[in-house]
Structure formats: structure tokens, C-alpha cells
Amino acid sequence: MYYWRDLDDVPEDFGPSVLTLGNFDGVHRGHQRVLQQVLEAARERSAAAVVVSFDPHPAQVHRPESAPELIMGLEDRVEMLAATGIDALLMMRYTLEFAASSPEDFVERVFVRALKARAVVVGHDVRFGRGNSGDLETMRELGATLGFEVIAIDDFGASYPLHSTATDGDRRCSSTWVREALERGDVETAGRVLGREHRMRGEVVHGAARGRELGYPTANLAPSSDGFIPADGIYAGWLIDESGVRWPAAVSVGSNPTFDGVTRQVEAHVINRPPERVQDFDLYGQCVVVEFLHRLRGQVAYRGPEALIEQMKLDVDQARSLLSTEQRASG
């Protein structure tokens, strides 16, 4: 996949293309459906399939105090977009100056002159240009004037049992839905909407070392890690180290209330470490990925270390059982 961070990076001879635009936070199943349409339309027209996206998220520029927490960081967004099979990604830097572009200027500069669009795939609720003044009708008018086809597609929903409850009905797949699920710790529903496990990515840093003292050492993610932090609790999941090895893990999210903690942390205890590496299993300084599969329980303050150790053993045993079942099912 070609990956461009600026309009000037696009080769002059690039094109023709079929493209779409959007933030694609989470690259969930709705996004994946749009990108599949782009790929199909591009192949039919012997053109390149292109995504135009933005960094930072426009909401972080226009209303930073109320911008939604992002589901994933830029590195994971690029990786997931590349995995869909698209040919090129133009990740434009979003600034107030850029946001002042009229719909006509934006489309002509980016879609027509740089990417030589033959077709543009968008949803019925597409908005673009200064003050979000451009909509689907604007896009169709520009397509007729500038010589590209506009392909409008419907939102992607799915019938129960994709949804967490029957009352969700045929709700459209959206980044908002994923965030709502993660806020209540429902990583299973988030995973079904995403089409894969929710993940965080960050550097392993030194913590208070309480897990090691209690017999359950953890890899602590740095506070600056990318990805939406799910609700406090204990999860069964996976830790993927820098070499790509995927380790089963029991993951704790919260502030360690048993020890009067106040800062939220994400800590992963790797299960079934090889016996020869129990003492030297050192992940410090590595950038790792933590994936969340199942929520085991909420966070609880226990009456001292002994009760906590007993519960940690139960958590690890439950996580081990769930992850073993998951491995057998996927294998």
C-alpha cells in the first residue's frame, strides 16, 4: 500500500483512482464494507483503490475539550486500512487552515488534480469542506462538473446476534457504538462491531512492581499508549510482543483500589510463560499490543493482599480456560 502524509507526496502520474474519504476510527465492519465497495469499483474500472483520511481527528482540532476518545492510534489505523487490500492511503494533516477549504476547492485539489478520481464512494450522510457545508448532493454536482461518478452506499447494520441485546435492533455499525460498548467493558460487543478484538498499543514501562511481589508480574502500558481504555475490570486477552509472538494474558484495567491507587493503569499478566523464561521474561521498553477478548469481572477492593492473591489465581485460571477454548475454536 502506498502511504502518503501530504498531497505533494502523491506522484504526478498517479491514477486513475476510485476513492473514499473518512476518519475510519476503529476500521469497524461498516468501514470495511465501504472499503470493499471501493475495491470492487476500482477493479471494475482498472483503477487504484484509495482512502483519503485525516490526522488528527477533526473533532480534536475544532472542539478538543469534547472530542471523543479515539478507538485506536494512527499506527493501528494505518495497519488495519492496509489489511483491507486498498492500494493507497492519503493521510492529510487536518488543521484549521485546511478546514477552511470550500467543498469545491477540496474536491478539485485532492480528488481530481492529485488522485484523478474516476469514482467516489461515500455514505448518504457524507459531509466535507468548510463548516461541513458539502453533502451528497454537493458531491454529485461536483462529480457531474469535474468528471467523476458518485457511488452512494447505505449504512451497514447487522441483525441480532451481532448486537449485545435484542433491543439494539438493526443498529448501524459505528465508532460511537464501539466506544459505548468499551465504556461499559463490553469488549465482546465491541469486537463484533469491529470484526476483531479491540486493542491497545504502547510501551511497557516500570510500575510499582506489586504484581511481581504477589506472584503475578505484569507488563504495564505507558499512560501515553494508543487505544480506547475499556471500563475498569479484569479481562482475558492477548499480549503481542515486538517479535510478533502472541501470548495469552489476564489484563487488569483500573487504579488498584486494594492499595488505594488513583491512576488508571492497563497491566497484562502473561499466562503460561515458558519455564525457562519465568525469571527473565523482560518486556520493558518494548512496544506491545494488548487485545481484549472477554471481561471476567469488575474491579474490586479486597481486604489485603491475601484475598487479592486468591482472586488473581481464579482470574488467571478463568482467563487460561477461555483463551484455550478460543485457540481451539480458531485453530
Side-chain angles (χ1 to χ4, degrees), residues 201-281:
R201 181 189 296 268
E203 181 183 355
V204 177
V205 298
H206 289 274
R210 289 199 184 95
R212 186 174 299 277
E213 293 170 2
L214 298 173
Y216 293 93
T218 59
N220 304 318
L221 294 190
S224 59
S225 298
D226 291 329
F228 194 108
I229 303 176
D232 290 359
I234 307 300
Y235 299 83
W238 303 94
L239 183 146
I240 305 171
D241 65 24
E242 282 188 339
S243 64
V245 178
R246 200 162 178 256
W247 302 93
V251 185
S252 170
V253 177
S255 56
N256 294 315
T258 301
F259 299 97
D260 299 320
V262 295
T263 303
R264 294 187 79 211
Q265 296 178 315
V266 178
E267 310 172 59
H269 169 70
V270 172
I271 300 170
N272 297 338
R273 290 176 297 168
E276 69 275 11
R277 296 191 59 188
V278 167
Q279 298 302 320
D280 67 346
F281 194 77

Side-chain angles (χ1 to χ4, degrees), residues 5 18 74 77 101 153 162 165 171 215 225 232 269 279 321:
R5 293 303 307 269
V18 172
L74 180 61
R77 183 156 49 118
S101 301
I153 62 174
L162 169 68
T165 65
R171 182 176 181 180
S225 298
D232 290 359
H269 169 70
Q279 298 302 320
S321 176

Side-chain angles (χ1 to χ4, degrees), residues 255-329:
S255 56
N256 294 315
T258 301
F259 299 97
D260 299 320
V262 295
T263 303
R264 294 187 79 211
Q265 296 178 315
V266 178
E267 310 172 59
H269 169 70
V270 172
I271 300 170
N272 297 338
R273 290 176 297 168
E276 69 275 11
R277 296 191 59 188
V278 167
Q279 298 302 320
D280 67 346
F281 194 77
D282 187 0
L283 296 172
Y284 290 123
Q286 286 197 32
C287 184
V288 302
V289 170
V290 173
E291 295 181 338
F292 299 83
L293 270 73
H294 306 282
R295 188 173 193 238
L296 306 182
R297 62 176 176 87
Q299 193 174 68
V300 178
Y302 290 91
R303 295 183 179 179
E306 294 78 13
L308 177 59
I309 291 171
E310 183 178 346
Q311 182 60 57
M312 291 170 72
K313 181 181 184 305
L314 295 174
D315 294 337
V316 169
D317 288 345
Q318 186 180 1
R320 180 186 292 111
S321 176
L322 285 167
L323 294 168
S324 296
T325 302
E326 191 87 21
Q327 278 185 316
R328 288 194 297 271

Side-chain angles (χ1 to χ4, degrees), residues 17-21 34 38 41-42 48-52 110-112 115-122 139 149 151:
S17 71
V18 172
L19 61 86
T20 190
L21 78 160
V34 171
V38 173
V50 180
V51 167
V52 178
V110 179
F111 292 5
V112 179
L115 300 173
K116 303 175 184 63
R118 284 187 177 173
V120 176
V121 179
V122 291
M139 189 72 78
E149 180 185 359
I151 303 171

